[in-house]
Amino acid sequence: MLRMLVCLAALLLGGCASITGTQTQPISVQATQGSQIVSGATCTLSNDAGKWYVKTPGSVAIKKSTADLLVECAKDGVVGQQNVVSKANTNVWGNILAGGIIGYAIDRNSGAGFDYPDAVTVTLGSVMGAMPGTPLPAGMAGMTPAAGRWRAVMSCDVNRTISDSKPYQANFSAEVDGNRVLLRRRNKIAEEVLSGTISGDSLTLNGMGYRLEKPGSSWVFRIDGVFMGNAKIFNGKGAMLTKAGVVARECTVVMVHTDIPPPAPKSEAPEVAAAPAAAQ
């Protein structure tokens, strides 16, 4: 109702849009641990306008808001987060001069008159789950995903919110890093990213997708499943949801381990005595 009244009043002044500002902003993200810069950390940026994903060091375009931006990063079971404050930019004052309180209300409602810092640094320091190579805490013991390459395929039925939609199937690149999983795909039309943390033999993947030509037209995923076949196959089911939380599609995700790294070279046994079988 407030936005309708603001837009109605703004139409009388020349249109319901920001007079001088934009609603999106690119933000570069880097992660550090101690005195070292960390490459390949998976980061999620979120505010009340949506969620976005990037790997460090990298940059992603987010939708601006008057709300703070939470940046969460993780790699090898170590996490960190940074809360970024949204601040009014000079466009707000230009809009006040051009459109009075209506101009200000438009920019406040759309986020166009507010900015986040152009760069964010997240310090990794808290342990999430278990570090690779160390025992899992009680309640999280289970299968350890096989090392090597993975392939992921998502299959979804028709979109219930679009009358002429069809089922689709898409291949995703898959990364398994310790107990962290990241799935990603990008084509000429859209980009989709899902991530999650393995707990025992279970994995919940949360993510989002958006159309490249309409970044504000986004959707979210929630997929729950388990690892099978000696932790070489993941089978999950869930849904693609609209921004309003409505189920748009029912989806399945299958992730399969495709190869195994070569074994480490064995050291030759001493000639004077054979090593016991249990020690080999």
Side-chain angles (χ1 to χ4, degrees):
M1 179 61 72
L2 174 60
R3 179 167 178 77
M4 185 179 298
L5 293 174
V6 168
C7 289
L8 181 59
L11 284 172
L12 300 177
L13 296 174
C16 183
S18 171
I19 300 171
T20 57
T22 61
Q23 297 182 27
T24 60
Q25 176 188 350
I27 293 181
S28 62
V29 181
Q30 76 169 4
T32 61
Q33 187 172 9
S35 60
Q36 302 296 316
I37 295 177
V38 179
S39 296
T42 302
C43 300
T44 302
L45 297 78
S46 59
N47 60 18
D48 59 358
K51 284 187 178 182
W52 303 269
Y53 302 86
V54 68
K55 297 197 75 171
T56 61
S59 179
V60 63
I62 61 96
K63 187 173 182 179
K64 297 193 290 186
S65 169
T66 57
D68 291 353
L69 182 72
L70 179 62
V71 184
E72 300 173 287
C73 298
K75 184 176 182 182
D76 295 339
V78 182
V79 300
Q81 66 178 33
Q82 182 73 27
N83 194 63
V84 183
V85 177
S86 175
K87 295 183 178 181
N89 58 34
T90 55
N91 294 323
V92 167
W93 313 118
N95 278 359
I96 290 176
L97 293 175
I101 192 63
I102 298 299
Y104 172 77
I106 293 171
D107 266 359
R108 181 173 179 83
N109 194 50
S110 67
F114 293 77
D115 286 331
Y116 298 109
D118 293 331
V120 177
T121 299
V122 177
T123 301
L124 304 183
S126 302
V127 176
M128 174 184 64
M131 293 289 289
T134 62
L136 290 171
M140 293 187 64
M143 298 182 179
T144 301
R149 297 179 181 176
W150 289 77
R151 177 185 175 188
V153 177
M154 175 185 286
S155 300
C156 299
D157 63 8
V158 297
N159 192 321
R160 294 156 176 77
T161 65
I162 302 176
S163 58
D164 59 348
S165 75
K166 298 179 180 180
Y168 80 93
Q169 180 172 295
N171 294 321
F172 282 71
S173 65
E175 298 177 25
V176 178
D177 186 0
N179 62 340
R180 295 285 296 176
V181 175
L182 176 69
L183 305 183
R184 183 192 301 271
R185 83 176 183 104
R186 181 187 176 101
N187 56 28
K188 295 180 179 179
I189 299 175
E191 181 176 18
E192 295 174 330
V193 180
L194 297 89
S195 63
T197 304
I198 300 167
S199 177
D201 61 357
S202 299
L203 171 64
T204 295
L205 292 168
N206 290 287
M208 63 88 69
Y210 68 96
R211 291 187 176 275
L212 301 182
E213 62 180 12
K214 296 181 179 179
S217 177
S218 61
W219 52 90
V220 297
F221 292 99
R222 180 180 173 87
I223 306 293
D224 295 294
V226 296
F227 283 89
M228 305 175 293
N230 196 26
K232 294 185 179 181
I233 300 174
F234 170 80
N235 185 22
K237 295 183 178 181
M240 173 195 293
L241 309 173
T242 66
K243 292 178 68 174
V246 177
V247 175
R249 299 179 187 264
E250 296 287 349
C251 301
T252 62
V253 173
V254 176
M255 191 168 69
V256 179
H257 182 255
T258 59
D259 67 4
I260 301 175
K266 295 181 179 180
S267 58
E268 295 183 0
E271 296 181 353
V272 293
Q280 292 180 350

